[in-house]
């Protein structure tokens, strides 16, 4: 019973008192408690003299209401959010509409035909000279339940990262200090529900301190980013002039691998191909036909090996020709990125990395990644056969200047130069007999990379805000490693302001959020909401 009372966030019934205590004893206890509270308040460190009021407000609020912030995130994470599950997505959208409305924003759920809904909200600040637009997505990647230690939508608090020996941890009480190294496990804890909750908590913090935002705020929350944002362009057209503003802030992705806060000014584009190489029209006994019948798995491996050298450079002709080089501001930012590659290799259990360039410089080159390979089976189900076909799935990460169709075409041209005839459908026997080497290539579409200039006037204000929130210098990178459909926003300045820890298992089993990163997000959002007028000293 005592344990149940400790875990009840509501605490004991208001006004209840032990029956054996008299009124005088309660007065004595009340006086002692009052003196204790006064002492604690006096002992609390005062904000630094140069600490912005919004930052002080955010830190004060989360120190008192940390468990409430965490519980709201857990409540949101508890809602399954795979884009294909439209009823579940609608429940997420309704939750967010209510949460934004409760903070004084004019919020609405908009659902176009055949599309997952978006949530759009606005907050108008009298006299504001800037309008900031925040983008985040509330959908998440599909899950394989067998790969998760807990249910993907059963948010579970851990005392540290699982890999560091963390253990399941009880939920903190309202009065308990929250350790920044605690981790919350669950799908979309980091990608991408955390920044949404951080924004909501920052609004609460400003209100609690009697502070007002200095900017007009617009919020766009998407419900199918993890499905490739197939309808985002329609929503942008639908909203039209309602999306007018000065700067888009994209709250997706992780902080830098060095652990430092990060601002990114672009994202890589994407294209994909699936390549299937064919042999006989049925699987063959490897004893009877080995050394005689062509093995499509072997041929596919040779074909893939011809696309990259041992140093990781793509050998497809013209693959790097359209890359737009970075400018002086980008080069200076890269020179300021701290050394972290050795630490990252150690954490990932790698003896070496690919290429001579540093990590962030490698992201400025297009990549060709073998993301999946299938041909017959392995392990306990392996059979002594020559398979009839073998398939490889490839993703291409694009940089500024690359066209997704053009780069995919270069890969196809390379396949043809290796002696293959390309088909679009599974070949019949007549086609197999006519062509010694057959490859079916299926393109998966894609989108261009986007990069914003790093010398925009607003950059210095964002750098100052992120540095103040984190208490250490911010890392500025020209492009993030991942891909987002930011090409839809071309022509509008956009900067990424991620908050999630870099080791959050994004898209993978046991996705998690380090709570210290959530607190950084609350602090950062409070500062962004109170940015000084453009050009102010």
């Amino acid at each position: 019973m005592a344990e149940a009372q400790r875990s009840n966030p509501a605490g004991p019934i208001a006004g209840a008192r032990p029956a054996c205590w008299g009124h005088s004893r309660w007065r004595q206890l009340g006086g002692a408690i009052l003196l204790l509270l006064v002492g604690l308040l006096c002992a609390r460190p005062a904000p630094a003299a140069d600490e912005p009021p919004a930052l002080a407000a955010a830190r004060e609020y989360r120190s008192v209401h940390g468990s409430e912030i965490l519980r709201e995130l857990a409540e949101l994470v508890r809602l399954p959010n795979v884009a294909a599950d439209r009823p579940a997505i609608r429940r997420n959208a309704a939750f967010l509409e209510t949460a934004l409305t409760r903070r004084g924003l004019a919020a609405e759920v908009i659902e176009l035909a055949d599309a997952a809904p978006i949530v759009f909200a606005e907050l108008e600040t009298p006299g504001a000279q800037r309008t900031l637009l925040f983008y985040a997505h509330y959908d998440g990647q599909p899950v394989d339940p067998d790969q998760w230690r807990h249910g993907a939508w059963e948010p579970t608090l851990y005392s540290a990262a699982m890999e560091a020996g963390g253990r399941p941890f009880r939920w903190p009480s309202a009065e308990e200090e929250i350790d920044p190294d605690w981790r919350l496990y669950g799908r979309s804890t980091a990608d991408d529900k955390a920044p949404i909750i951080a924004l909501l908590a920052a609004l609460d913090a400003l209100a609690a301190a009697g502070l007002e935002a200095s900017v007009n705020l617009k919020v766009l929350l998407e419900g199918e980013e993890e499905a490739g944002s197939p309808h985002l362009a329609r929503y942008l057209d639908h909203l039209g002039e309602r999306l007018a503003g000065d700067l888009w802030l994209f709250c997706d992705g992780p902080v830098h691998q060095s652990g430092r806060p990060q601002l990114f000014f672009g994202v890589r584009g994407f294209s994909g191909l699936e390549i299937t190489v064919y042999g006989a029209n049925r699987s063959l006994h490897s004893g009877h036909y080995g050394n005689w019948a062509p093995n499509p798995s072997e041929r596919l491996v040779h074909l893939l090996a011809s696309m990259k050298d041992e140093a990781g450079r793509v050998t497809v002709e013209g693959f790097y020709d359209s890359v737009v080089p970075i400018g002086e501001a980008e080069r200076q930012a890269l020179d300021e990125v701290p050394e972290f590659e050795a630490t990252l290799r150690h954490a990932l259990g790698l003896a070496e990395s690919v290429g001579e360039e540093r990590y962030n410089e490698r992201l400025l080159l297009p990549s060709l990644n073998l993301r999946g390979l299938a041909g017959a089976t392995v392990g306990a189900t392996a059979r002594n056969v020559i398979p009839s076909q073998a398939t490889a799935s490839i993703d291409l990460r694009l940089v500024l200047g690359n066209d997704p169709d053009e780069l995919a075409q270069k890969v196809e041209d390379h396949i043809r130069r290796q002696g293959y005839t390309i088909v679009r459908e599974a070949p019949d026997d007549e086609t197999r007999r006519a062509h010694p080497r057959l490859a079916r290539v299926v393109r998966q579409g894609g989108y261009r990379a986007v990069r914003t200039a790093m010398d925009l006037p607003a950059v210095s204000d964002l750098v100052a805000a992120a540095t103040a929130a984190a208490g250490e210098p911010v890392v500025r990178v020209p492009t993030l490693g991942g891909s987002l459909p930011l090409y839809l926003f071309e022509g509008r300045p956009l900067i990424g302001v991620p908050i999630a820890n870099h080791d959050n298992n994004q898209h993978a089993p046991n996705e998690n959020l380090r709570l210290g990163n959530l607190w950084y997000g609350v602090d950062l959002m409070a500062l962004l909401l109170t940015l000084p007028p453009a050009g102010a000293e």
Side-chain angles (χ1 to χ4, degrees):
M1 185 63 180
E3 182 60 32
Q5 288 179 345
R6 282 197 298 271
S7 63
N8 178 6
I13 299 174
R17 67 180 65 171
C20 59
W21 279 30
H23 291 283
S24 60
R25 190 68 177 272
W26 271 99
R27 284 195 296 270
Q28 294 172 9
L29 179 61
I33 292 176
L34 180 60
L35 290 173
L36 176 61
L37 289 174
V38 170
L40 289 173
L41 289 171
C42 293
R44 177 173 294 177
D50 58 348
E51 185 174 73
L55 181 57
R59 290 175 173 171
E60 172 68 18
Y61 184 83
R62 60 177 174 76
S63 71
V64 176
H65 301 277
S67 63
E68 296 174 28
I69 300 170
L70 183 57
R71 286 175 186 274
E72 186 169 26
L73 174 58
E75 188 178 353
L76 181 57
V77 169
R78 197 169 283 114
L79 299 176
N81 62 335
V82 177
D85 186 349
R86 199 58 54 82
I89 284 293
R90 291 191 182 104
R91 287 191 288 272
N92 280 263
F95 178 100
L96 294 169
E97 179 189 28
T98 299
L100 288 161
T101 300
R102 194 163 64 245
R103 272 77 178 190
L105 282 76
E108 61 180 309
V109 175
I110 304 173
E111 184 169 357
L112 300 179
D114 303 320
I118 65 166
V119 181
F120 181 67
E122 298 178 270
L123 178 66
E124 187 172 339
T125 301
Q129 298 182 25
R130 296 193 204 221
T131 296
L132 299 184
L133 302 99
F134 284 77
Y135 167 94
H137 65 88
Y138 62 87
D139 66 313
Q141 283 279 326
V143 302
D144 179 354
D146 294 337
Q147 299 297 314
W148 284 72
R149 188 173 297 185
H150 305 281
W153 294 288
E154 296 174 6
T156 305
L157 193 62
Y158 267 65
S159 58
M162 290 180 181
E163 297 81 0
R167 299 294 181 187
F169 198 72
R170 56 175 173 73
W171 287 93
S173 65
E175 301 81 13
E176 190 169 359
E177 183 178 354
I178 292 177
D179 189 324
D181 285 326
W182 290 350
R183 303 259 179 148
L184 182 65
Y185 281 82
R187 176 56 89 218
S188 298
T189 49
D191 183 25
D192 190 30
K193 290 180 174 180
I196 302 174
I197 295 300
L199 176 61
L200 296 176
L203 289 165
D204 290 339
L206 295 181
L211 300 175
E212 293 186 355
S214 64
V215 301
N216 293 321
L217 173 65
K218 299 182 181 183
V219 181
L220 175 60
L221 306 178
E222 189 188 0
E224 50 188 357
E225 189 274 340
E226 299 292 8
S229 299
H231 303 104
L232 182 56
R234 289 172 55 199
Y235 278 116
L236 296 180
D237 289 341
H238 176 80
L239 289 168
E241 287 303 312
R242 297 180 68 184
L243 295 178
D246 299 301
L247 181 65
W248 277 95
L249 299 175
F250 283 82
C251 310
D252 199 356
V255 299
H256 195 256
Q257 283 84 352
S258 64
R260 296 244 301 264
Q262 173 170 259
L263 298 179
F264 64 85
F265 293 76
V267 292
R268 298 206 279 186
F270 175 84
S271 186
L273 305 96
E274 191 165 273
I275 305 168
T276 302
V277 172
Y278 295 91
N281 58 11
R282 63 182 184 275
S283 296
L284 301 174
H285 190 285
S286 63
H288 298 318
Y289 294 97
N291 290 342
W292 185 84
N295 187 316
S297 292
E298 294 175 1
R299 286 190 167 177
L300 179 59
V301 168
H302 284 292
L303 175 60
L304 295 171
S306 73
M307 296 181 183
K308 298 179 79 170
D309 63 23
E310 291 188 2
R313 184 170 180 82
V314 179
T315 53
V316 172
E317 185 176 323
F319 195 77
Y320 300 104
D321 287 354
S322 58
V323 173
V324 174
I326 61 174
E328 182 58 34
E330 287 78 12
R331 172 51 56 192
Q332 180 180 347
L334 286 177
D335 290 343
E336 295 172 357
V337 174
E339 294 278 354
F340 70 97
E341 285 83 358
T343 301
L344 183 59
R345 283 191 294 269
H346 177 80
L348 297 177
L350 293 174
E352 63 177 359
S353 47
V354 177
E356 297 180 356
E357 301 90 349
R358 294 188 60 197
Y359 171 87
N360 288 107
E361 292 180 345
R362 295 290 292 176
L363 300 185
L364 295 171
L365 296 172
S367 66
L368 185 154
N369 174 59
L370 174 61
R371 62 184 177 184
L373 187 63
T377 58
V378 298
T381 61
R383 295 167 293 139
N384 298 327
V385 299
I386 299 171
S388 63
Q389 65 184 55
T391 301
S393 183
I394 289 175
D395 70 68
L396 306 175
R397 298 288 177 162
L398 284 54
V399 299
L400 194 65
N402 297 152
D403 177 87
D405 290 331
E406 180 182 312
L407 217 59
Q409 184 61 49
K410 290 182 183 298
V411 176
E412 285 196 13
D413 292 343
H414 178 87
I415 294 172
R416 289 189 177 94
R417 283 194 292 271
Q418 310 312 305
Y420 284 85
T421 297
I422 291 180
V423 296
R424 302 300 178 188
E425 303 292 338
D428 56 20
D429 281 359
E430 183 177 350
T431 304
R432 289 172 185 261
R433 296 184 189 109
H435 303 284
R437 297 194 175 203
L438 275 175
R440 180 189 179 193
V441 178
V442 178
R443 295 193 191 183
Q444 298 174 334
Y447 45 82
R448 301 184 303 279
V450 172
R451 195 164 72 219
T452 294
M454 298 181 74
D455 53 2
L456 292 175
V459 170
S460 59
D461 290 336
L462 295 185
V463 169
T467 299
E472 58 182 331
V474 65
V475 175
R476 296 171 298 131
V477 296
T479 188
L480 192 68
S483 298
L484 289 168
L486 300 196
Y487 71 98
L488 297 171
F489 299 83
E490 278 186 302
R492 317 174 194 190
L494 53 92
I495 299 175
V497 288
I499 70 168
N501 42 296
H502 72 86
D503 58 348
N504 63 66
N505 295 337
Q506 182 178 1
H507 293 189
N510 301 320
E511 180 180 348
N512 67 89
L513 178 73
R514 178 181 172 272
L515 298 191
N517 286 74
L518 179 60
W519 297 157
Y520 162 68
V522 175
D523 296 351
L524 176 61
M525 295 299 172
L527 289 169
L528 295 177
L529 290 171
T530 55
L531 284 178
E537 294 295 335

